Amino acid sequence: MHKYVIKRLIMLIPVVIGVSFLVFFIMSLAPGDTARTILGEDAPIEAIEALNEELGLNDPVLIRYGRYMVGLAHGDLGTSYKSGRSVFTEVMSRFPDTLKLAFWGMIFAVVLSIPIGIISATKQYSLIDSVSMVFALLGVATPNFWLGLMLIIGFSLHLRWFPSGGSEGWKALVLPVITLGTGCMANITRTTRSSMLEVIRQDYIRTAKAKGVGYRSVIYKHALKNALIPVVTVIGLQFGSLLGGAVLTEAVFSWPGVGTYLVNSIKAKDTPAVLGCVIIFSICFSIVNLCVDILYAYIDPRIKSKYK
Amino acid sequence: MAEHDSKYTLEIKDLEVQFKTVDGVVKAVNGIDLAIEKGKTLGLVGETGAGKTTTALSILRLVPDPPGKITGGTITLEGKDLFSYSEKEMETIRGSQVSMIFQDPMTSLNPVMTVGDQIAEVIQLHEKIDPKEALEKAKAMLEMVGIPGNRGTEYPHQFSGGMKQRVIIAMALVCNPHLLIADEPTTALDVTIQAQVLDLMQKLREKYGTSMLMITHDLGIVAEVCDNVSIMYAGRIVEHGTLEDIFNSTSHPYTEGLFGSLPNIENRNEQLKPIPGLMPDPTDLPPGCAFHPRCKYCKDICKSRVPAVTKLSDTHLVACLAYEEGTGVTLGGGDNE
């Protein structure tokens, strides 16, 4: 097991190299001049040239990438072009807010979706099943920035129950969490339902019933644990979309997290800042998925025996 | 009546089970009668799809509903009507009074629970006992089926097919049920393991005085373990008798066909005589005798008249028009139309 975890952590290195390579080249292909963006349209051409030279932006792209990677290898995420501060400090000062949003979004999604999925599966084709499946479909299909805007119109503008932005207090958390968690919830509900439907038709469920195990126990003791594997997988993958979704949600609710910072950095063509955000997101995503894989071992002994 | 009741562990009368599907109503079981005497073994023999498993699940009231429904008949266990019990009462009967061994041991154990826990679960459900004692008892039961007790902490995937079936047998017998239903318990096993598993079941069954319903399509198993035999075809019992009745004075053309399909051990070059055709579609059973399209003695009357049960002796029953008076149907010769 330890060996497996170490192997997986080493696998993070190629992931980071791949991600940084892609993002670096996409950023360098994007139109616009960094120094001009920073100094403004009216800045004299000499000043722009000087800044470009100072930031090393006149060098060929491979040299710049090489320089960045040398820094990265030393654990240095570089300095923001725009603010001149360390990218690591800037991202990390915002990261807890994003994580808070993602965490509560996930809690919201999981707490609602798993029970709904179980009920839908055990009462297949009932009214409650149909209703929750329609909502799940709507949840998957609704873009979250739109949902966020609708929630703001409904609950902030008209009802005035929750603030439309900011990050002060639990009230500010409610709308962004719903916005962020709904898509996730819909996906997990559907996965729970289909996985549960498959499991309750298995022979060992019949065996459990034949032993005299009561209905609730059959579902929650025998079926649920078996049904959880695909659910946990989806939760892990959804965490990635939660981080991605945070970019839009944070923009809608002017939430002061990494998402907002990332959007502003892209607008400013601030390559080190963008790279910093993306690298930290990808490491975070990889670690969550590693946790998911470790969790498998605790759910299913057959998987555990393969982790040697 | 009371005396009569005490003689049988299980009595099934006129049981009918149907499945409502989009393709029509599947008539899985069409009015069967079965009775198992205390401590005896009844073999229920028939092809795949004859309704054997459905009959067995009816006894546990576990026919998947929907789409399945028990539409008629009675099942009496130890003199008590099973259909009068509430679902909660049924839960106390399953696993303690009636147990079932399923066909495929590979899929019949919960993959995420240790086998010890799975056996201990039955004990805890039906006996007032603390978890530690239940686990100890589960270990002892594993030893009894020839598995070292300390392997109880392992998971099903760490066992072979034959060992899994032993675990299932242990699980089924641990609460001393009155009736054990074995649904093709050896079909999924290697031939070399089959005899071992059968021996084990016989030994334990005799030890506990358990009655057994042995569902199989293997006449060899029937000869080895059964006292009485019922031959099932298309949801009906076509012939019933003691082992001797069925093997020595085979009466129904279908039973005859089953024996004809067995290889002859004395003359290995002899061609097998399979029964022509297939089981009828249970949504569209043929009128008259359900076996008539495959019967080599079939006459016109067989296509319209449902055969009644004829008593050949005190123990031997058959449902074929050839044994009813004035039908003009005769067996032998084989003038297949």
Side-chain angles (χ1 to χ4, degrees):
Chain A
M1 195 73 182
H2 297 297
K3 243 180 166 175
Y4 176 79
V5 172
I6 291 166
K7 212 161 71 186
R8 286 285 302 265
L9 287 174
I10 291 171
M11 283 291 287
L12 270 176
I13 297 169
V15 169
V16 169
I17 293 175
V19 164
S20 61
F21 181 83
L22 275 175
V23 175
F24 196 92
F25 280 85
I26 290 168
M27 286 301 288
S28 72
L29 286 173
D33 186 293
T34 310
R36 186 180 290 278
T37 320
I38 295 167
L39 294 173
E41 288 297 320
D42 302 330
I45 197 101
E46 296 79 24
I48 291 171
E49 274 306 315
L51 188 60
N52 272 340
E53 193 58 43
E54 189 195 325
L55 296 174
L57 292 174
N58 290 336
D59 296 331
V61 65
L62 276 173
I63 300 218
R64 278 186 282 141
Y65 179 65
R67 206 187 292 141
Y68 182 80
M69 287 313 284
V70 170
L72 192 61
H74 290 85
D76 179 12
L77 281 177
T79 331
S80 162
Y81 291 159
K82 204 173 145 200
S83 67
R85 280 200 294 266
S86 152
V87 168
F88 185 77
T89 324
E90 296 244 302
V91 174
M92 276 309 157
S93 70
R94 293 167 171 85
F95 198 61
D97 274 316
T98 295
L99 216 55
K100 187 161 109 187
L101 202 58
F103 175 79
W104 286 110
M106 190 47 96
I107 295 284
F108 166 76
V110 169
V111 162
L112 285 174
S113 61
I114 291 182
I116 296 176
I118 293 171
I119 294 168
S120 288
T122 50
K123 303 203 187 316
Q124 198 188 3
Y125 304 132
S126 67
L127 184 67
I128 187 162
D129 179 32
S130 311
V131 170
S132 46
M133 280 308 106
V134 168
F135 273 101
L137 195 64
L138 286 175
V140 176
T142 310
N144 65 4
F145 66 87
W146 181 84
L147 179 65
L149 292 174
M150 291 303 117
L151 288 173
I152 288 176
I153 293 173
F155 292 97
S156 302
L157 216 56
H158 292 299
L159 294 169
R160 303 202 163 272
W161 287 357
F162 303 108
S164 67
S167 65
E168 294 301 309
W170 67 269
K171 272 196 169 180
L173 207 56
V174 174
L175 295 185
V177 160
I178 295 175
T179 306
L180 196 57
T182 299
C184 244
M185 178 174 82
N187 267 314
I188 301 170
T189 308
R190 292 170 64 86
T191 311
T192 308
R193 177 180 181 268
S194 63
S195 169
M196 201 69 187
L197 275 177
E198 200 186 308
V199 168
I200 56 180
R201 281 166 179 60
Q202 296 293 317
D203 286 350
Y204 54 81
I205 295 301
R206 194 175 56 179
T207 309
K209 287 182 187 165
K211 288 198 306 197
V213 179
Y215 180 78
R216 289 185 69 85
S217 216
V218 166
I219 298 297
Y220 292 98
K221 189 171 165 193
H222 286 265
L224 186 58
K225 207 175 171 199
N226 281 289
L228 273 182
I229 298 264
V231 176
V232 170
T233 311
V234 170
I235 291 176
L237 293 175
Q238 286 292 311
F239 191 79
S241 74
L242 226 51
L243 290 175
V247 175
L248 292 169
T249 310
E250 285 179 9
V252 171
F253 289 94
S254 43
W255 185 268
V258 185
T260 313
Y261 180 66
L262 178 58
V263 172
N264 291 335
S265 302
I266 293 170
K267 281 188 199 150
K269 222 171 171 279
D270 192 346
T271 309
V274 173
L275 272 167
C277 294
V278 175
I279 286 171
I280 289 190
F281 271 179
S282 58
I283 290 175
C284 191
F285 182 59
S286 302
I287 288 177
V288 166
N289 276 287
L290 174 60
C291 293
V292 164
D293 288 349
I294 293 169
L295 202 57
Y296 284 164
Y298 286 95
I299 297 173
D300 194 332
R302 288 168 297 185
I303 295 176
K304 193 176 194 171
S305 65
K306 286 184 192 136
Y307 278 177
K308 274 166 190 158
Chain B
M1 203 54 201
E3 204 181 314
H4 185 77
D5 281 342
S6 63
K7 191 177 160 200
Y8 296 106
T9 302
L10 177 82
E11 265 191 290
I12 298 179
K13 286 234 164 72
D14 210 21
L15 180 72
E16 269 181 40
V17 186
Q18 298 184 344
F19 292 88
K20 291 204 168 61
T21 68
V22 276
D23 301 323
V25 176
V26 176
K27 293 179 179 158
V29 179
N30 303 303
I32 66 161
D33 295 334
L34 286 179
I36 305 176
E37 281 176 52
K38 285 213 162 106
K40 292 278 163 67
T41 298
L42 174 72
L44 189 57
V45 182
E47 285 166 87
T48 306
K52 296 168 296 179
T53 302
T54 306
T55 306
L57 288 174
S58 305
I59 301 169
L60 287 164
R61 280 196 17 211
L62 281 180
V63 176
D65 173 19
K69 253 219 151 62
I70 297 172
T71 48
T74 57
I75 298 178
T76 318
L77 181 76
E78 298 285 343
K80 291 190 199 76
D81 179 11
L82 267 188
F83 297 150
S84 69
Y85 290 121
S86 70
E87 181 56 30
K88 268 260 148 327
E89 288 171 311
M90 261 332 277
E91 279 166 16
T92 65
I93 288 170
R94 291 179 198 134
S96 71
Q97 294 191 38
V98 187
S99 293
M100 186 155 172
I101 297 172
F102 293 99
Q103 182 170 349
D104 190 354
M106 306 310 279
T107 57
S108 294
L109 287 170
N110 192 334
V112 303
M113 272 172 92
T114 65
V115 299
D117 282 343
Q118 295 192 51
I119 299 172
E121 191 185 22
V122 203
I123 308 170
Q124 267 188 283
L125 281 169
H126 301 294
E127 290 170 23
K128 290 204 176 2
I129 195 170
D130 70 86
K132 252 202 165 122
E133 272 180 77
L135 263 177
E136 282 306 310
K137 212 175 157 188
K139 267 189 187 173
M141 197 66 204
L142 276 177
E143 298 271 356
M144 191 137 31
V145 295
I147 296 173
N150 58 14
R151 293 202 64 185
T153 54
E154 292 181 16
Y155 289 93
H157 72 274
Q158 290 160 294
F159 291 82
S160 68
M163 285 179 105
K164 279 186 205 172
Q165 196 62 302
R166 284 161 186 271
V167 170
I168 292 169
I169 291 169
M171 209 156 77
L173 290 175
V174 74
C175 286
N176 283 338
H178 302 299
L179 175 67
L180 175 66
I181 305 170
D183 185 4
E184 310 209 17
T186 56
T187 307
L189 300 179
D190 279 344
V191 188
T192 45
I193 312 289
Q194 286 186 3
Q196 279 180 26
V197 168
L198 278 179
D199 278 349
L200 175 73
M201 281 173 62
Q202 277 292 82
K203 214 177 73 205
L204 291 174
R205 199 185 65 73
E206 275 160 28
K207 187 170 164 191
Y208 293 121
T210 314
S211 313
M212 180 157 80
L213 178 63
M214 172 61 102
I215 296 174
T216 181
H217 54 242
D218 186 337
L219 288 163
I221 292 176
V222 170
E224 203 174 317
V225 302
C226 296
D227 302 299
N228 294 302
V229 189
S230 286
I231 310 284
M232 196 165 182
Y233 185 80
R236 285 206 178 84
I237 304 289
V238 293
E239 187 171 357
H240 171 84
T242 62
L243 204 55
E244 293 75 39
D245 290 335
I246 301 293
F247 278 75
N248 299 338
S249 49
T250 310
S251 300
H252 197 280
Y254 178 61
T255 318
E256 191 185 306
L258 287 180
F259 282 109
S261 316
L262 292 180
N264 185 344
I265 202 149
E266 269 117 45
N267 182 3
R268 284 172 178 268
N269 291 329
E270 198 185 17
Q271 287 272 318
L272 294 182
K273 294 184 277 302
I275 307 170
L278 292 171
M279 273 292 265
D281 173 6
T283 58
D284 184 24
L285 291 177
C289 172
F291 186 61
H292 84 252
R294 300 171 73 184
C295 182
K296 57 183 176 180
Y297 312 115
C298 174
K299 290 278 185 327
D300 275 343
I301 190 170
C302 299
K303 295 173 186 165
S304 56
R305 185 163 146 187
V306 180
V309 176
T310 311
K311 231 177 168 179
L312 301 177
S313 73
D314 274 351
T315 54
H316 198 175
L317 306 173
V318 66
C320 175
L321 289 169
Y323 299 93
E324 290 182 45
E325 298 214 358
T327 56
V329 185
T330 50
L331 302 185
D335 53 337
N336 199 356
E337 290 183 36

